[in-house]
Every structure is written in structure tokens, then in C-alpha cells.
Amino acid sequence: MNERPARSGLEPLAQAEASVPPSRPQILRTAVRMNIRGRSVRLRGLRLPPTGIWRWLAILGPGLIASSAGNDAGGIATYSSTGAQYGYELIWVMLLITVSLSIVQEMCARLGAVTGRGLLDLIRERFGVGWAVFAVGVILIANGGLIVSEFVGIGAATELLGVSKLFTVPTAAALIFYLVVFGNYRRVEKIFLLMTLVFFAYPVAAFMAHPHWGEVARGAFVPKLHRDPNYIFLLVGLIGTTITPYMQLFQQSSVVERGGDRVRYGPERVDVYSGAIFSNLMSIFIIIATAATLHAIGKNNIDTAADAARALEPVAGHFAGVIFAVGLVGASLLAAAVLPLATSYAVSEAFGFSKGVGLDFRRARLFFTLFTGLIIFGAAGALIPNLPVIKLLVLIQVLNGVLLPIFLVFILLLINDQRLTKELKNTRFYNILGWTTFAIISLAVAIMLLMQFLGLWGVKLFAS
């Protein structure tokens, strides 16, 4: 009886281990090709193994980028709203989310290193086409909302500079499409990335605003809960903007492209944890800066980008709006290019279709159709008149928080499949943290949805 051959990437572990590269580090002779943000970069002239700080810089990559992706238009809006409305009271949530983010991203990195496959590809392989279609639908809803939020961010930022979004949003959409499909996006991407560096002003602003550090410590280590629906709504938004489903897809695919494997897996773990801690530290500084400048003077509601920019006044003064706008444009342009591209790659991968900007429309019809459609959808959504910008951005992050438990289930089931992971299967400690994360997020989402539903009928879930 003929035995069916195993599919590529999921061969029996006995065969996979026979082909595992030696654990001894390879000497870098002439050049190294790395993938950063899904883009191939060639490093020339490295004739010796990197040491010291260069060794650590070579390790850092997908984890740092994936975690930092949350500090875009939606992230800035959500963290700013948190600080303005509740001061320092939700910093303890950010500390817990940092642990959860580290665990979730690390599991995805481990899946990529062990299997050499993307997340949606594994879902189709292990759970069937039906579940793959369901997962694709979830990611299209989640990422579609995020893409709209990035173009909303572009419009809000340029209006701070005195330019109408009716001009800048379509121009940005056309520019992104041209750069990715026809132009040299890699060079321009560096400019977008440099523009986001102005957000490093938030840690400075947090100190210059002279917050009450005793209150900051209390907010970080003494949990305080409120019963009003808006508190739970914002809490789910914090979760959604910090652990968004896009980050898990990006993390796993990037580790695969970098050539991670089960033998030399340690650097990926360092990358993930470093990225989670660094990114969420920046997010906490945004909350502190906003709490010390806006909440302290009774400005609890942020309705526009100009309101959010006021948190940078301690360091930038009258130029706070310009500084904020430059950073928001850079972050939004960067994400508005990467999100539709990553989504198109993931969906094409899930169903085995050809993908890649190096192909033409005839050879990658689904890839290019989806990429183009997502950009048009995002730009069109941002042009809807009289949009409540900040509220919309926060709402989209809440939507991501609602959808997150679905992806967490897939990740936890896959990482515990010993046929895939063998010695890198989740330990009991990781499973406790992983399933606890899933349970807490699911409970928060369920309470929020129930409170919102009952609120429509004038019923309060909790007595005042």
C-alpha cells in the first residue's frame, strides 16, 4: 500500500531533524540577506560573526517591529484617550498586556521557526479549508478596519498642517500603490520610519510635564476597576491596539522569511521579548504624558488630533501640533503600505495562490486585486464627511480586541500540536499564561458586549 508523501513543511519530524542545519554558527563571508518588515535587505562586508552591540542589533527585527506596529494612528488615539479620561489608572493593565503580548508573539515566532509556515497556511493545513476561510474573513475585517484608521490618521495629521484630507488621502493612496507596485518603496520606507521617530518626544514630555510619580506608581501596581461601560470599552481597545491579530501574522511570517529554525531559536525569543517591552514602555509614556497634561487640567475627552497633540506641549510648545502631525503622517503612511501588502500575502498564502509585487497581475491576480481593493477601501472610508476621528480610531482598536480571542485559540491549539512542535511544544507555564490571557480577554469582551447591548435598553449590568 503506497504511503502518501508528507506535505512540504509538515514532514515527519524524523526526516525534518535529519535535515536540520548544524547548531554551530555559520561564518558570514561576503554578505548576509535579512528580511526586515518583510523586505529583503543585503548587508555587505560582514566577514566575521557580529559581536557586541552588532550581534544584538542583528538579532532584533520582527519582534521589535511587530510590537511597535501598535503605536500607529489607532494606538496613539487609544493611549491618549486612556490617559485623558482615566489618568494613570490603567497603567497596570498595560503591564499585564506586556506579559500577554510577549507570550502570544513568542508562540507565533516559535511556530514559524519550527514549521517554516505562516499562520494562515497552518490553519488551512491542520483545520481544513472551512476554518481557513473563517480565519481569512476575521483578518480581512480586522485589517480592513486598521487600514481605514491609517488613512484617517493621514487625513487628520495633514489637516493639522492646514491641508485638506480631500487632497492628501487620495494622494497618499496613489503614492503608496505606486511605490509598492512600480516604484522603489524600500528607499521611501526609511523616510516614513524616520518621521515616526518624533514620537520619542513622548517620554521627554512625560517627564517635563512633572506628573505625580506616586500616582503613576499607584496606577501601575494597584489595580482599580470602574463599572461604567466606557471603562470596559476602553480596556478592550487597549488590548486590541496592543495585541492586534496583524502582529501575530507578521511575527510568524517574518521569522519564516528570516530562516529561523528549531535548533537556533534563542535569538527570536530575545527579539520578541525586547520588542514587547520596548513598545509597551513607549505606550505607557504616551498615557503618562497625556494624563499629566490633559487629565490634570480636566480635559478628559479627546475629539480631534489637535487635542491629542497637546500632550507634547511640554517639550514642543507651540510646535506640538506640527511635531505630532509629522509623526502621525509617517506612522500612518508606513502602516498604510505594510498592512494591505501583508494582508494580501497572508490571504494568498492561505489558499496557495501566487503572490509578490515582483509578479504581474496575470500571474498574481488575487494578490494584486486584494492589495488594490484594500487601499481603495481604506482611502474611501477615511473620506466620509464629519468623521469623529479619535472615536473612530478607538472603535477600530476595540474591534480588534473583540476578534483577538479567535486567533488566540488557533495559536494555542497549533503550538500544542506535538506533531508540529515536538520539543518546542508549549510548557505548562506557557499554557497557563496563554490560556489565562485568552480567558481574561474573552471575559472582558463578553462583559463589554453585554453592557453595550443592555445599555440600548437602559439596563445597567452593575449597580452604581
Side-chain angles (χ1 to χ4, degrees):
M1 186 175 179
N2 294 331
E3 191 175 356
R4 291 180 62 191
R7 299 192 180 192
S8 173
L10 294 176
E11 67 273 9
L13 285 169
Q15 297 178 19
E17 289 171 352
S19 61
V20 166
S23 59
R24 184 167 60 90
Q26 298 292 313
I27 302 298
L28 306 179
R29 292 297 180 188
T30 57
V32 176
R33 186 170 293 279
M34 297 176 61
N35 278 276
I36 302 174
R37 291 193 76 91
R39 304 214 168 257
S40 183
V41 178
R42 188 174 178 82
L43 306 180
R44 299 182 182 275
L46 295 179
R47 298 183 179 277
L48 296 173
T51 59
I53 189 172
W54 300 111
R55 176 174 177 267
W56 293 105
L57 288 176
I59 287 173
L60 298 178
L64 180 62
I65 294 166
S67 299
S68 298
N71 293 334
D72 57 357
I76 297 294
T78 305
Y79 300 133
S80 298
S81 295
T82 299
Q85 292 185 46
Y86 296 101
Y88 313 112
E89 292 181 8
L90 279 165
I91 295 179
W92 68 272
V93 174
M94 292 303 301
L95 296 182
L96 292 180
I97 292 177
T98 302
V99 176
S100 297
L101 175 63
S102 302
I103 295 301
V104 172
Q105 294 299 106
E106 192 277 335
M107 287 191 291
C108 289
R110 201 166 358 129
L111 271 174
V114 169
T115 65
R117 307 281 286 274
L119 184 57
L120 288 179
D121 200 2
L122 287 178
I123 291 173
R124 183 199 66 202
E125 191 71 37
R126 282 306 188 206
F127 303 110
V129 175
W131 284 111
V133 171
F134 175 70
V136 165
V138 172
I139 204 63
L140 283 175
I141 294 172
N143 285 6
L146 285 174
I147 293 165
V148 171
S149 76
E150 305 310 341
F151 282 103
V152 167
I154 292 169
T158 55
E159 287 189 334
L160 271 179
L161 299 175
V163 184
S164 172
K165 69 177 183 179
L166 296 176
F167 170 75
T168 55
V169 169
T171 302
L175 177 65
I176 289 168
F177 180 84
Y178 174 79
L179 288 174
V180 172
V181 178
F182 301 108
N184 193 334
Y185 175 71
R186 296 181 192 176
R187 290 183 182 177
V188 181
E189 184 182 53
K190 296 181 179 66
I191 298 174
F192 295 163
L193 197 57
L194 285 172
M195 292 167 68
T196 67
L197 295 181
V198 301
F199 283 146
F200 278 94
Y202 273 108
V204 181
F207 282 95
M208 292 185 66
H210 304 294
H212 191 294
W213 291 107
E215 293 294 328
V216 173
R218 189 176 293 109
F221 301 109
V222 181
K224 186 174 182 180
L225 295 171
H226 294 268
R227 295 178 176 179
D228 64 286
N230 187 61
Y231 179 88
I232 304 297
F233 184 83
L234 203 52
L235 190 149
V236 174
L238 280 177
I239 296 170
T241 195
T242 310
I243 320 176
T244 179
Y246 158 71
M247 293 163 61
Q248 286 87 69
L249 291 174
F250 181 84
Q251 178 73 63
Q252 186 163 335
S253 298
S254 295
V255 169
V256 171
E257 290 190 20
R258 285 184 79 176
D261 60 68
R262 58 164 54 93
V263 173
R264 294 191 294 273
Y265 172 67
E268 277 75 16
R269 181 169 283 165
V270 173
D271 175 37
V272 167
Y273 291 151
S274 301
I277 293 171
F278 172 79
S279 171
N280 280 11
L281 190 60
M282 289 292 295
S283 304
I284 289 171
F285 276 125
I286 294 172
I287 294 174
I288 294 174
T290 310
T293 53
L294 301 184
H295 182 78
I297 62 172
K299 176 65 177 177
N300 301 127
N301 294 318
I302 296 180
D303 300 314
T304 66
D307 292 336
R310 290 179 62 187
L312 292 177
E313 285 183 355
V315 67
H318 295 300
F319 296 101
V322 175
I323 295 293
F324 181 84
V326 169
L328 191 58
V329 167
S332 299
L333 282 171
L334 196 61
V338 173
L339 268 167
L341 191 60
T343 306
S344 302
Y345 269 108
V347 174
S348 299
E349 174 192 67
F351 301 116
F353 287 95
S354 299
K355 58 188 181 295
V357 293
L359 303 177
D360 56 31
F361 184 82
R362 289 176 299 174
R363 290 184 291 168
R365 189 180 302 272
L366 174 66
F367 174 82
F368 281 106
T369 300
L370 187 56
F371 175 73
T372 306
L374 286 171
I375 289 180
I376 294 173
F377 173 76
L383 290 175
I384 296 174
N386 302 318
L387 278 177
V389 174
I390 300 298
K391 290 181 180 178
L392 176 66
L393 293 177
V394 174
L395 178 62
I396 291 172
Q397 309 315 307
V398 172
L399 175 62
N400 276 275
V402 171
L403 298 175
L404 177 60
I406 298 171
F407 266 86
L408 288 182
V409 170
F410 283 124
I411 292 167
L412 285 162
L413 292 177
L414 287 168
I415 199 65
N416 282 292
D417 189 337
Q418 198 159 9
R419 293 171 296 174
L420 290 175
T421 53
K422 200 180 178 182
E423 75 279 2
L424 289 183
K425 176 179 176 287
N426 256 9
T427 62
R428 179 177 297 179
F429 178 68
Y430 266 79
N431 273 331
I432 290 173
L433 290 178
W435 286 108
T436 300
T437 294
F438 166 77
I440 292 174
I441 294 174
S442 299
L443 178 62
V445 169
I447 292 174
M448 184 203 73
L449 294 177
L450 183 59
M451 292 178 77
Q452 296 292 328
F453 176 76
L454 293 177
L456 297 175
W457 304 93
V459 179
K460 291 185 177 181
L461 184 60
F462 301 109
S464 300

